[in-house]
Amino acid sequence: MAPALAWLVGLMVVPCALVLALAFFQRGVYGGVDYTFTLENFGRVFDPLYAGIFLRSARIAGTATVIAVVLGYAAAYAIASCRRSLQPVLLFFAVLPFWSNYLIRTYAWIVLLNREGLITQLLRWFGYEGEPPSMLYTEGAVIAGLVYNYLPFVILACYAPLSRMNPELAEASRDLGGSAFTTFRRIILPLTLPGIAAGAVFVFVLSIGNFVTPALLGGGRFQMIGNLVYDQFLTANDWPFGAALSMALIAIMMLLLLVQAYASDRASARTAPVREDA
């Protein structure tokens, strides 16, 4: 395990420790770092202005997470329901967007959503002659971009437990008089909750810290916490406050991962008697 541990320590633990150390210093008069100890940066994180950006980021990321989980679970369920020989092909198409660059995929949405884009052209082809709808540089465009870019994570996370589930459990439920909805709610959904939780955490954690999608699809109108951190380091040249914001974001992510791990353990403990009975 030594090479893997050295890799994680050198490229993850040490950089995070350096960023954490920067958060305890002051901004220099002309930018940079003044190595004078202070806790002011962490106090500024809870300022109503920045707290509002955190809440807006959480709302946008939460909306994208809910949509991605619904669509991703439905897609994973459909793939798992197909015959075994066809499932690898469908999974290949699900992860195919990952073969292109993230920026290219995001710019593609600009082509789709701008006033002279493909969607507007389709509307005109169907006879729409009014003012083109304003779709680009909106909160909806940001959410659509986040959902599109992170949807494959949810599909893969939900497909894993669905593909491993014993089909005899659902058959037994139907034999005992359970409807399709009851079988899904009482059997299938509880057994796949760990995958749903993993996919949801993936999308939320990656979305709340994203700064590329809000910058491109939001046009700078919807600043998220990732954009704020980016601006502190590269525009305002306030590295200590940017480091404090980064550590607050990392703390939120770690808390979500701990909650997801706890929920997965509880779900596994609840479903263990079902497996033993089966």
Side-chain angles (χ1 to χ4, degrees):
M1 294 178 62
L5 290 176
W7 178 276
L8 290 175
V9 171
L11 298 180
M12 183 176 294
V13 177
V14 172
C16 286
L18 293 175
V19 172
L20 177 61
L22 285 177
F24 291 99
F25 298 116
Q26 296 180 355
R27 180 183 183 273
V29 177
Y30 302 103
V33 182
D34 179 5
Y35 293 97
T36 302
F37 181 83
T38 182
L39 297 176
E40 179 184 356
N41 296 312
F42 291 100
R44 291 174 62 190
V45 172
F46 297 97
D47 183 272
L49 174 63
Y50 303 117
I53 296 177
F54 267 102
L55 293 176
R56 184 188 307 118
S57 302
R59 176 173 55 80
I60 293 175
T63 304
T65 300
V66 172
I67 297 173
V69 167
V70 173
L71 296 178
Y73 190 89
Y77 190 89
I79 294 174
S81 301
C82 294
R83 64 177 186 271
R84 287 286 180 178
S85 61
L86 188 60
Q87 292 179 17
V89 178
L90 297 176
L91 286 175
F92 168 78
F93 284 112
V95 301
L96 187 60
F98 282 165
W99 289 28
S100 61
N101 185 271
Y102 186 94
L103 283 175
I104 295 176
R105 300 200 303 269
T106 305
Y107 274 115
W109 277 93
I110 297 178
V111 175
L112 288 173
L113 298 178
N114 69 69
R115 287 182 175 269
E116 299 300 326
L118 181 60
I119 295 178
T120 301
Q121 297 300 327
L122 288 175
L123 290 175
R124 289 174 177 170
W125 187 76
F126 282 108
Y128 179 79
E129 298 179 355
E131 183 71 15
S134 179
M135 295 177 288
L136 192 60
Y137 307 138
T138 62
E139 185 174 310
V142 175
I143 294 173
L146 293 173
V147 171
Y148 169 75
N149 282 300
Y150 298 136
L151 184 61
F153 287 113
V154 183
I155 295 176
L156 294 176
C158 293
Y159 171 78
L162 283 168
S163 63
R164 294 195 303 264
M165 190 178 62
N166 188 350
E168 295 179 356
L169 296 176
E171 293 176 4
S173 174
R174 289 191 293 268
D175 291 340
L176 294 173
S179 64
F181 177 75
T182 301
T183 300
F184 175 79
R185 182 175 60 87
R186 299 286 299 273
I187 304 297
I188 298 176
L189 187 60
L191 290 175
T192 56
L193 275 179
I196 296 174
V201 170
F202 271 131
V203 177
F204 188 86
V205 167
L206 294 173
S207 296
I208 195 173
N210 191 293
F211 67 93
V212 175
T213 302
L216 294 180
L217 298 183
R221 300 179 183 178
F222 303 95
Q223 190 176 47
M224 295 178 64
I225 187 62
N227 305 104
L228 182 61
V229 173
Y230 178 90
D231 291 340
Q232 296 303 315
F233 276 98
L234 299 180
T235 303
N237 203 19
D238 191 348
W239 287 26
F241 182 51
L245 290 170
S246 301
M247 296 313 300
L249 185 59
I250 291 175
I252 293 173
M253 295 177 179
M254 293 298 296
L255 179 61
L256 288 173
L257 291 173
L258 290 174
V259 171
Q260 185 264 334
Y262 175 76
S264 298
D265 291 340
R266 290 292 302 272
S268 299
R270 286 196 303 267
T271 56
V274 175
R275 296 192 185 97
E276 292 175 359
D277 293 340

PDB file of all heavy atoms in Angstrom, residues 217-253:
ATOM      1  N   LEU A 217     -22.436  28.741 -18.802  1.00  0.00           N
ATOM      2  CA  LEU A 217     -23.876  28.679 -19.057  1.00  0.00           C
ATOM      3  C   LEU A 217     -24.657  29.716 -18.257  1.00  0.00           C
ATOM      4  O   LEU A 217     -25.798  30.027 -18.606  1.00  0.00           O
ATOM      5  CB  LEU A 217     -24.400  27.273 -18.739  1.00  0.00           C
ATOM      6  CG  LEU A 217     -23.805  26.136 -19.573  1.00  0.00           C
ATOM      7  CD1 LEU A 217     -24.453  24.806 -19.203  1.00  0.00           C
ATOM      8  CD2 LEU A 217     -23.958  26.409 -21.061  1.00  0.00           C
ATOM      9  N   GLY A 218     -24.072  30.196 -17.168  1.00  0.00           N
ATOM     10  CA  GLY A 218     -24.740  31.234 -16.385  1.00  0.00           C
ATOM     11  C   GLY A 218     -24.319  32.634 -16.758  1.00  0.00           C
ATOM     12  O   GLY A 218     -24.940  33.607 -16.322  1.00  0.00           O
ATOM     13  N   GLY A 219     -23.253  32.744 -17.551  1.00  0.00           N
ATOM     14  CA  GLY A 219     -22.799  34.059 -17.986  1.00  0.00           C
ATOM     15  C   GLY A 219     -22.338  34.955 -16.855  1.00  0.00           C
ATOM     16  O   GLY A 219     -22.344  36.175 -16.985  1.00  0.00           O
ATOM     17  N   GLY A 220     -21.947  34.365 -15.720  1.00  0.00           N
ATOM     18  CA  GLY A 220     -21.519  35.160 -14.581  1.00  0.00           C
ATOM     19  C   GLY A 220     -22.649  35.737 -13.768  1.00  0.00           C
ATOM     20  O   GLY A 220     -22.414  36.450 -12.787  1.00  0.00           O
ATOM     21  N   ARG A 221     -23.901  35.441 -14.139  1.00  0.00           N
ATOM     22  CA  ARG A 221     -25.039  35.986 -13.393  1.00  0.00           C
ATOM     23  C   ARG A 221     -25.339  35.185 -12.139  1.00  0.00           C
ATOM     24  O   ARG A 221     -25.984  35.693 -11.218  1.00  0.00           O
ATOM     25  CB  ARG A 221     -26.279  36.000 -14.288  1.00  0.00           C
ATOM     26  CG  ARG A 221     -26.130  36.840 -15.549  1.00  0.00           C
ATOM     27  CD  ARG A 221     -27.397  36.788 -16.382  1.00  0.00           C
ATOM     28  NE  ARG A 221     -27.266  37.523 -17.635  1.00  0.00           N
ATOM     29  CZ  ARG A 221     -28.211  37.603 -18.552  1.00  0.00           C
ATOM     30  NH1 ARG A 221     -29.384  36.999 -18.352  1.00  0.00           N
ATOM     31  NH2 ARG A 221     -28.004  38.277 -19.667  1.00  0.00           N
ATOM     32  N   PHE A 222     -24.931  33.929 -12.102  1.00  0.00           N
ATOM     33  CA  PHE A 222     -25.230  33.050 -10.967  1.00  0.00           C
ATOM     34  C   PHE A 222     -23.908  32.575 -10.381  1.00  0.00           C
ATOM     35  O   PHE A 222     -23.362  31.558 -10.797  1.00  0.00           O
ATOM     36  CB  PHE A 222     -26.092  31.864 -11.423  1.00  0.00           C
ATOM     37  CG  PHE A 222     -27.378  32.280 -12.076  1.00  0.00           C
ATOM     38  CD1 PHE A 222     -27.466  32.395 -13.448  1.00  0.00           C
ATOM     39  CD2 PHE A 222     -28.481  32.592 -11.311  1.00  0.00           C
ATOM     40  CE1 PHE A 222     -28.633  32.785 -14.054  1.00  0.00           C
ATOM     41  CE2 PHE A 222     -29.658  32.991 -11.912  1.00  0.00           C
ATOM     42  CZ  PHE A 222     -29.734  33.086 -13.281  1.00  0.00           C
ATOM     43  N   GLN A 223     -23.389  33.354  -9.458  1.00  0.00           N
ATOM     44  CA  GLN A 223     -22.107  33.016  -8.857  1.00  0.00           C
ATOM     45  C   GLN A 223     -22.292  31.915  -7.832  1.00  0.00           C
ATOM     46  O   GLN A 223     -23.122  32.015  -6.924  1.00  0.00           O
ATOM     47  CB  GLN A 223     -21.475  34.235  -8.202  1.00  0.00           C
ATOM     48  CG  GLN A 223     -20.033  33.991  -7.761  1.00  0.00           C
ATOM     49  CD  GLN A 223     -19.405  35.238  -7.194  1.00  0.00           C
ATOM     50  OE1 GLN A 223     -20.015  35.920  -6.377  1.00  0.00           O
ATOM     51  NE2 GLN A 223     -18.187  35.540  -7.605  1.00  0.00           N
ATOM     52  N   MET A 224     -21.527  30.857  -7.985  1.00  0.00           N
ATOM     53  CA  MET A 224     -21.528  29.772  -7.027  1.00  0.00           C
ATOM     54  C   MET A 224     -20.229  29.805  -6.243  1.00  0.00           C
ATOM     55  O   MET A 224     -19.309  30.573  -6.548  1.00  0.00           O
ATOM     56  CB  MET A 224     -21.730  28.432  -7.742  1.00  0.00           C
ATOM     57  CG  MET A 224     -23.087  28.307  -8.418  1.00  0.00           C
ATOM     58  SD  MET A 224     -23.322  26.754  -9.306  1.00  0.00           S
ATOM     59  CE  MET A 224     -23.250  25.552  -7.957  1.00  0.00           C
ATOM     60  N   ILE A 225     -20.145  28.955  -5.250  1.00  0.00           N
ATOM     61  CA  ILE A 225     -19.000  29.015  -4.347  1.00  0.00           C
ATOM     62  C   ILE A 225     -17.698  28.713  -5.093  1.00  0.00           C
ATOM     63  O   ILE A 225     -16.637  29.273  -4.782  1.00  0.00           O
ATOM     64  CB  ILE A 225     -19.205  28.043  -3.155  1.00  0.00           C
ATOM     65  CG1 ILE A 225     -18.111  28.220  -2.120  1.00  0.00           C
ATOM     66  CG2 ILE A 225     -19.289  26.609  -3.628  1.00  0.00           C
ATOM     67  CD1 ILE A 225     -18.072  29.587  -1.495  1.00  0.00           C
ATOM     68  N   GLY A 226     -17.761  27.851  -6.114  1.00  0.00           N
ATOM     69  CA  GLY A 226     -16.564  27.570  -6.899  1.00  0.00           C
ATOM     70  C   GLY A 226     -16.059  28.806  -7.621  1.00  0.00           C
ATOM     71  O   GLY A 226     -14.847  29.056  -7.687  1.00  0.00           O
ATOM     72  N   ASN A 227     -16.980  29.615  -8.178  1.00  0.00           N
ATOM     73  CA  ASN A 227     -16.589  30.869  -8.831  1.00  0.00           C
ATOM     74  C   ASN A 227     -16.005  31.851  -7.831  1.00  0.00           C
ATOM     75  O   ASN A 227     -15.059  32.582  -8.144  1.00  0.00           O
ATOM     76  CB  ASN A 227     -17.792  31.505  -9.517  1.00  0.00           C
ATOM     77  CG  ASN A 227     -18.473  30.565 -10.481  1.00  0.00           C
ATOM     78  OD1 ASN A 227     -19.534  30.022 -10.181  1.00  0.00           O
ATOM     79  ND2 ASN A 227     -17.862  30.342 -11.639  1.00  0.00           N
ATOM     80  N   LEU A 228     -16.573  31.867  -6.613  1.00  0.00           N
ATOM     81  CA  LEU A 228     -16.070  32.776  -5.583  1.00  0.00           C
ATOM     82  C   LEU A 228     -14.643  32.417  -5.191  1.00  0.00           C
ATOM     83  O   LEU A 228     -13.785  33.295  -5.048  1.00  0.00           O
ATOM     84  CB  LEU A 228     -16.998  32.725  -4.365  1.00  0.00           C
ATOM     85  CG  LEU A 228     -16.635  33.654  -3.201  1.00  0.00           C
ATOM     86  CD1 LEU A 228     -16.655  35.108  -3.646  1.00  0.00           C
ATOM     87  CD2 LEU A 228     -17.594  33.445  -2.032  1.00  0.00           C
ATOM     88  N   VAL A 229     -14.371  31.125  -5.013  1.00  0.00           N
ATOM     89  CA  VAL A 229     -13.013  30.690  -4.682  1.00  0.00           C
ATOM     90  C   VAL A 229     -12.059  31.040  -5.816  1.00  0.00           C
ATOM     91  O   VAL A 229     -10.940  31.538  -5.602  1.00  0.00           O
ATOM     92  CB  VAL A 229     -12.997  29.174  -4.393  1.00  0.00           C
ATOM     93  CG1 VAL A 229     -11.566  28.675  -4.224  1.00  0.00           C
ATOM     94  CG2 VAL A 229     -13.815  28.862  -3.148  1.00  0.00           C
ATOM     95  N   TYR A 230     -12.493  30.786  -7.053  1.00  0.00           N
ATOM     96  CA  TYR A 230     -11.671  31.109  -8.231  1.00  0.00           C
ATOM     97  C   TYR A 230     -11.329  32.594  -8.256  1.00  0.00           C
ATOM     98  O   TYR A 230     -10.172  32.982  -8.501  1.00  0.00           O
ATOM     99  CB  TYR A 230     -12.438  30.695  -9.483  1.00  0.00           C
ATOM    100  CG  TYR A 230     -11.743  31.010 -10.786  1.00  0.00           C
ATOM    101  CD1 TYR A 230     -10.887  30.094 -11.385  1.00  0.00           C
ATOM    102  CD2 TYR A 230     -11.961  32.231 -11.430  1.00  0.00           C
ATOM    103  CE1 TYR A 230     -10.256  30.387 -12.578  1.00  0.00           C
ATOM    104  CE2 TYR A 230     -11.330  32.527 -12.623  1.00  0.00           C
ATOM    105  CZ  TYR A 230     -10.484  31.609 -13.193  1.00  0.00           C
ATOM    106  OH  TYR A 230      -9.863  31.899 -14.380  1.00  0.00           O
ATOM    107  N   ASP A 231     -12.324  33.453  -8.000  1.00  0.00           N
ATOM    108  CA  ASP A 231     -12.095  34.889  -8.044  1.00  0.00           C
ATOM    109  C   ASP A 231     -11.148  35.344  -6.935  1.00  0.00           C
ATOM    110  O   ASP A 231     -10.333  36.257  -7.149  1.00  0.00           O
ATOM    111  CB  ASP A 231     -13.426  35.633  -7.916  1.00  0.00           C
ATOM    112  CG  ASP A 231     -14.305  35.466  -9.142  1.00  0.00           C
ATOM    113  OD1 ASP A 231     -13.766  35.122 -10.214  1.00  0.00           O
ATOM    114  OD2 ASP A 231     -15.537  35.652  -9.015  1.00  0.00           O
ATOM    115  N   GLN A 232     -11.244  34.741  -5.759  1.00  0.00           N
ATOM    116  CA  GLN A 232     -10.375  35.147  -4.656  1.00  0.00           C
ATOM    117  C   GLN A 232      -8.913  34.843  -4.956  1.00  0.00           C
ATOM    118  O   GLN A 232      -8.023  35.628  -4.619  1.00  0.00           O
ATOM    119  CB  GLN A 232     -10.798  34.450  -3.353  1.00  0.00           C
ATOM    120  CG  GLN A 232     -12.172  34.822  -2.849  1.00  0.00           C
ATOM    121  CD  GLN A 232     -12.328  36.307  -2.634  1.00  0.00           C
ATOM    122  OE1 GLN A 232     -11.460  36.969  -2.067  1.00  0.00           O
ATOM    123  NE2 GLN A 232     -13.447  36.848  -3.111  1.00  0.00           N
ATOM    124  N   PHE A 233      -8.654  33.721  -5.604  1.00  0.00           N
ATOM    125  CA  PHE A 233      -7.276  33.343  -5.891  1.00  0.00           C
ATOM    126  C   PHE A 233      -6.716  34.075  -7.114  1.00  0.00           C
ATOM    127  O   PHE A 233      -5.553  34.493  -7.110  1.00  0.00           O
ATOM    128  CB  PHE A 233      -7.172  31.829  -6.116  1.00  0.00           C
ATOM    129  CG  PHE A 233      -7.044  31.033  -4.848  1.00  0.00           C
ATOM    130  CD1 PHE A 233      -8.144  30.419  -4.279  1.00  0.00           C
ATOM    131  CD2 PHE A 233      -5.821  30.907  -4.207  1.00  0.00           C
ATOM    132  CE1 PHE A 233      -8.032  29.689  -3.112  1.00  0.00           C
ATOM    133  CE2 PHE A 233      -5.693  30.191  -3.036  1.00  0.00           C
ATOM    134  CZ  PHE A 233      -6.798  29.575  -2.484  1.00  0.00           C
ATOM    135  N   LEU A 234      -7.514  34.248  -8.160  1.00  0.00           N
ATOM    136  CA  LEU A 234      -6.981  34.726  -9.430  1.00  0.00           C
ATOM    137  C   LEU A 234      -7.397  36.147  -9.797  1.00  0.00           C
ATOM    138  O   LEU A 234      -6.819  36.720 -10.718  1.00  0.00           O
ATOM    139  CB  LEU A 234      -7.405  33.772 -10.559  1.00  0.00           C
ATOM    140  CG  LEU A 234      -6.901  32.335 -10.424  1.00  0.00           C
ATOM    141  CD1 LEU A 234      -7.374  31.490 -11.595  1.00  0.00           C
ATOM    142  CD2 LEU A 234      -5.378  32.301 -10.340  1.00  0.00           C
ATOM    143  N   THR A 235      -8.393  36.709  -9.117  1.00  0.00           N
ATOM    144  CA  THR A 235      -8.821  38.074  -9.425  1.00  0.00           C
ATOM    145  C   THR A 235      -8.546  39.025  -8.267  1.00  0.00           C
ATOM    146  O   THR A 235      -7.837  40.021  -8.425  1.00  0.00           O
ATOM    147  CB  THR A 235     -10.326  38.103  -9.778  1.00  0.00           C
ATOM    148  OG1 THR A 235     -10.576  37.223 -10.880  1.00  0.00           O
ATOM    149  CG2 THR A 235     -10.754  39.514 -10.166  1.00  0.00           C
ATOM    150  N   ALA A 236      -9.101  38.716  -7.095  1.00  0.00           N
ATOM    151  CA  ALA A 236      -8.891  39.573  -5.933  1.00  0.00           C
ATOM    152  C   ALA A 236      -7.517  39.381  -5.302  1.00  0.00           C
ATOM    153  O   ALA A 236      -7.084  40.214  -4.501  1.00  0.00           O
ATOM    154  CB  ALA A 236      -9.982  39.296  -4.884  1.00  0.00           C
ATOM    155  N   ASN A 237      -6.838  38.292  -5.651  1.00  0.00           N
ATOM    156  CA  ASN A 237      -5.509  37.991  -5.100  1.00  0.00           C
ATOM    157  C   ASN A 237      -5.538  37.917  -3.571  1.00  0.00           C
ATOM    158  O   ASN A 237      -4.587  38.319  -2.896  1.00  0.00           O
ATOM    159  CB  ASN A 237      -4.492  39.029  -5.563  1.00  0.00           C
ATOM    160  CG  ASN A 237      -3.064  38.495  -5.510  1.00  0.00           C
ATOM    161  OD1 ASN A 237      -2.847  37.275  -5.472  1.00  0.00           O
ATOM    162  ND2 ASN A 237      -2.081  39.382  -5.500  1.00  0.00           N
ATOM    163  N   ASP A 238      -6.661  37.412  -3.048  1.00  0.00           N
ATOM    164  CA  ASP A 238      -6.808  37.238  -1.601  1.00  0.00           C
ATOM    165  C   ASP A 238      -6.729  35.744  -1.299  1.00  0.00           C
ATOM    166  O   ASP A 238      -7.738  35.070  -1.097  1.00  0.00           O
ATOM    167  CB  ASP A 238      -8.157  37.814  -1.142  1.00  0.00           C
ATOM    168  CG  ASP A 238      -8.255  37.909   0.375  1.00  0.00           C
ATOM    169  OD1 ASP A 238      -7.384  37.334   1.065  1.00  0.00           O
ATOM    170  OD2 ASP A 238      -9.212  38.531   0.868  1.00  0.00           O
ATOM    171  N   TRP A 239      -5.519  35.229  -1.292  1.00  0.00           N
ATOM    172  CA  TRP A 239      -5.318  33.794  -1.100  1.00  0.00           C
ATOM    173  C   TRP A 239      -5.805  33.292   0.259  1.00  0.00           C
ATOM    174  O   TRP A 239      -6.400  32.212   0.331  1.00  0.00           O
ATOM    175  CB  TRP A 239      -3.854  33.444  -1.304  1.00  0.00           C
ATOM    176  CG  TRP A 239      -3.416  33.497  -2.733  1.00  0.00           C
ATOM    177  CD1 TRP A 239      -3.968  34.255  -3.738  1.00  0.00           C
ATOM    178  CD2 TRP A 239      -2.339  32.764  -3.326  1.00  0.00           C
ATOM    179  NE1 TRP A 239      -3.302  34.050  -4.912  1.00  0.00           N
ATOM    180  CE2 TRP A 239      -2.298  33.139  -4.692  1.00  0.00           C
ATOM    181  CE3 TRP A 239      -1.412  31.858  -2.850  1.00  0.00           C
ATOM    182  CZ2 TRP A 239      -1.363  32.616  -5.576  1.00  0.00           C
ATOM    183  CZ3 TRP A 239      -0.466  31.324  -3.721  1.00  0.00           C
ATOM    184  CH2 TRP A 239      -0.451  31.701  -5.065  1.00  0.00           C
ATOM    185  N   PRO A 240      -5.574  34.006   1.358  1.00  0.00           N
ATOM    186  CA  PRO A 240      -6.044  33.486   2.654  1.00  0.00           C
ATOM    187  C   PRO A 240      -7.556  33.304   2.711  1.00  0.00           C
ATOM    188  O   PRO A 240      -8.041  32.276   3.205  1.00  0.00           O
ATOM    189  CB  PRO A 240      -5.564  34.553   3.646  1.00  0.00           C
ATOM    190  CG  PRO A 240      -4.369  35.156   2.994  1.00  0.00           C
ATOM    191  CD  PRO A 240      -4.712  35.194   1.537  1.00  0.00           C
ATOM    192  N   PHE A 241      -8.318  34.289   2.220  1.00  0.00           N
ATOM    193  CA  PHE A 241      -9.774  34.139   2.255  1.00  0.00           C
ATOM    194  C   PHE A 241     -10.223  33.063   1.278  1.00  0.00           C
ATOM    195  O   PHE A 241     -11.160  32.308   1.561  1.00  0.00           O
ATOM    196  CB  PHE A 241     -10.451  35.469   1.930  1.00  0.00           C
ATOM    197  CG  PHE A 241     -11.952  35.415   1.999  1.00  0.00           C
ATOM    198  CD1 PHE A 241     -12.599  34.908   3.117  1.00  0.00           C
ATOM    199  CD2 PHE A 241     -12.729  35.863   0.940  1.00  0.00           C
ATOM    200  CE1 PHE A 241     -13.981  34.850   3.181  1.00  0.00           C
ATOM    201  CE2 PHE A 241     -14.105  35.810   0.992  1.00  0.00           C
ATOM    202  CZ  PHE A 241     -14.738  35.306   2.116  1.00  0.00           C
ATOM    203  N   GLY A 242      -9.588  32.972   0.112  1.00  0.00           N
ATOM    204  CA  GLY A 242      -9.895  31.886  -0.816  1.00  0.00           C
ATOM    205  C   GLY A 242      -9.620  30.529  -0.201  1.00  0.00           C
ATOM    206  O   GLY A 242     -10.384  29.577  -0.405  1.00  0.00           O
ATOM    207  N   ALA A 243      -8.545  30.439   0.588  1.00  0.00           N
ATOM    208  CA  ALA A 243      -8.235  29.177   1.270  1.00  0.00           C
ATOM    209  C   ALA A 243      -9.292  28.847   2.315  1.00  0.00           C
ATOM    210  O   ALA A 243      -9.684  27.687   2.476  1.00  0.00           O
ATOM    211  CB  ALA A 243      -6.860  29.264   1.916  1.00  0.00           C
ATOM    212  N   ALA A 244      -9.776  29.865   3.041  1.00  0.00           N
ATOM    213  CA  ALA A 244     -10.818  29.623   4.042  1.00  0.00           C
ATOM    214  C   ALA A 244     -12.106  29.145   3.378  1.00  0.00           C
ATOM    215  O   ALA A 244     -12.769  28.215   3.868  1.00  0.00           O
ATOM    216  CB  ALA A 244     -11.075  30.898   4.838  1.00  0.00           C
ATOM    217  N   LEU A 245     -12.470  29.758   2.252  1.00  0.00           N
ATOM    218  CA  LEU A 245     -13.652  29.301   1.516  1.00  0.00           C
ATOM    219  C   LEU A 245     -13.461  27.874   1.018  1.00  0.00           C
ATOM    220  O   LEU A 245     -14.402  27.062   1.064  1.00  0.00           O
ATOM    221  CB  LEU A 245     -13.919  30.239   0.336  1.00  0.00           C
ATOM    222  CG  LEU A 245     -14.407  31.649   0.662  1.00  0.00           C
ATOM    223  CD1 LEU A 245     -14.380  32.515  -0.586  1.00  0.00           C
ATOM    224  CD2 LEU A 245     -15.808  31.607   1.249  1.00  0.00           C
ATOM    225  N   SER A 246     -12.268  27.556   0.547  1.00  0.00           N
ATOM    226  CA  SER A 246     -11.987  26.203   0.065  1.00  0.00           C
ATOM    227  C   SER A 246     -12.122  25.186   1.184  1.00  0.00           C
ATOM    228  O   SER A 246     -12.698  24.104   0.990  1.00  0.00           O
ATOM    229  CB  SER A 246     -10.577  26.135  -0.525  1.00  0.00           C
ATOM    230  OG  SER A 246     -10.427  27.044  -1.595  1.00  0.00           O
ATOM    231  N   MET A 247     -11.617  25.510   2.360  1.00  0.00           N
ATOM    232  CA  MET A 247     -11.705  24.570   3.470  1.00  0.00           C
ATOM    233  C   MET A 247     -13.146  24.405   3.934  1.00  0.00           C
ATOM    234  O   MET A 247     -13.547  23.300   4.340  1.00  0.00           O
ATOM    235  CB  MET A 247     -10.825  25.040   4.629  1.00  0.00           C
ATOM    236  CG  MET A 247      -9.339  25.087   4.314  1.00  0.00           C
ATOM    237  SD  MET A 247      -8.705  23.593   3.482  1.00  0.00           S
ATOM    238  CE  MET A 247      -9.066  22.332   4.691  1.00  0.00           C
ATOM    239  N   ALA A 248     -13.941  25.464   3.874  1.00  0.00           N
ATOM    240  CA  ALA A 248     -15.361  25.334   4.216  1.00  0.00           C
ATOM    241  C   ALA A 248     -16.062  24.414   3.230  1.00  0.00           C
ATOM    242  O   ALA A 248     -16.894  23.570   3.608  1.00  0.00           O
ATOM    243  CB  ALA A 248     -16.028  26.714   4.231  1.00  0.00           C
ATOM    244  N   LEU A 249     -15.712  24.532   1.953  1.00  0.00           N
ATOM    245  CA  LEU A 249     -16.299  23.667   0.928  1.00  0.00           C
ATOM    246  C   LEU A 249     -15.864  22.222   1.128  1.00  0.00           C
ATOM    247  O   LEU A 249     -16.674  21.292   1.011  1.00  0.00           O
ATOM    248  CB  LEU A 249     -15.891  24.159  -0.453  1.00  0.00           C
ATOM    249  CG  LEU A 249     -16.503  23.452  -1.660  1.00  0.00           C
ATOM    250  CD1 LEU A 249     -18.017  23.544  -1.619  1.00  0.00           C
ATOM    251  CD2 LEU A 249     -15.967  24.063  -2.945  1.00  0.00           C
ATOM    252  N   ILE A 250     -14.594  22.020   1.453  1.00  0.00           N
ATOM    253  CA  ILE A 250     -14.096  20.659   1.715  1.00  0.00           C
ATOM    254  C   ILE A 250     -14.789  20.060   2.936  1.00  0.00           C
ATOM    255  O   ILE A 250     -15.120  18.865   2.957  1.00  0.00           O
ATOM    256  CB  ILE A 250     -12.569  20.679   1.900  1.00  0.00           C
ATOM    257  CG1 ILE A 250     -11.884  21.001   0.566  1.00  0.00           C
ATOM    258  CG2 ILE A 250     -12.059  19.344   2.440  1.00  0.00           C
ATOM    259  CD1 ILE A 250     -10.383  21.164   0.667  1.00  0.00           C
ATOM    260  N   ALA A 251     -15.041  20.884   3.961  1.00  0.00           N
ATOM    261  CA  ALA A 251     -15.729  20.390   5.154  1.00  0.00           C
ATOM    262  C   ALA A 251     -17.142  19.925   4.818  1.00  0.00           C
ATOM    263  O   ALA A 251     -17.609  18.888   5.308  1.00  0.00           O
ATOM    264  CB  ALA A 251     -15.770  21.481   6.217  1.00  0.00           C
ATOM    265  N   ILE A 252     -17.841  20.687   3.957  1.00  0.00           N
ATOM    266  CA  ILE A 252     -19.185  20.284   3.530  1.00  0.00           C
ATOM    267  C   ILE A 252     -19.123  18.956   2.789  1.00  0.00           C
ATOM    268  O   ILE A 252     -19.932  18.045   3.016  1.00  0.00           O
ATOM    269  CB  ILE A 252     -19.817  21.377   2.652  1.00  0.00           C
ATOM    270  CG1 ILE A 252     -20.077  22.641   3.486  1.00  0.00           C
ATOM    271  CG2 ILE A 252     -21.117  20.890   2.025  1.00  0.00           C
ATOM    272  CD1 ILE A 252     -20.553  23.814   2.656  1.00  0.00           C
ATOM    273  N   MET A 253     -18.147  18.818   1.899  1.00  0.00           N
ATOM    274  CA  MET A 253     -18.011  17.576   1.134  1.00  0.00           C
ATOM    275  C   MET A 253     -17.717  16.394   2.048  1.00  0.00           C
ATOM    276  O   MET A 253     -18.292  15.303   1.897  1.00  0.00           O
ATOM    277  CB  MET A 253     -16.894  17.733   0.096  1.00  0.00           C
ATOM    278  CG  MET A 253     -17.175  18.764  -0.981  1.00  0.00           C
ATOM    279  SD  MET A 253     -15.787  18.952  -2.121  1.00  0.00           S
ATOM    280  CE  MET A 253     -16.430  20.190  -3.244  1.00  0.00           C
TER     281      MET A 253
END
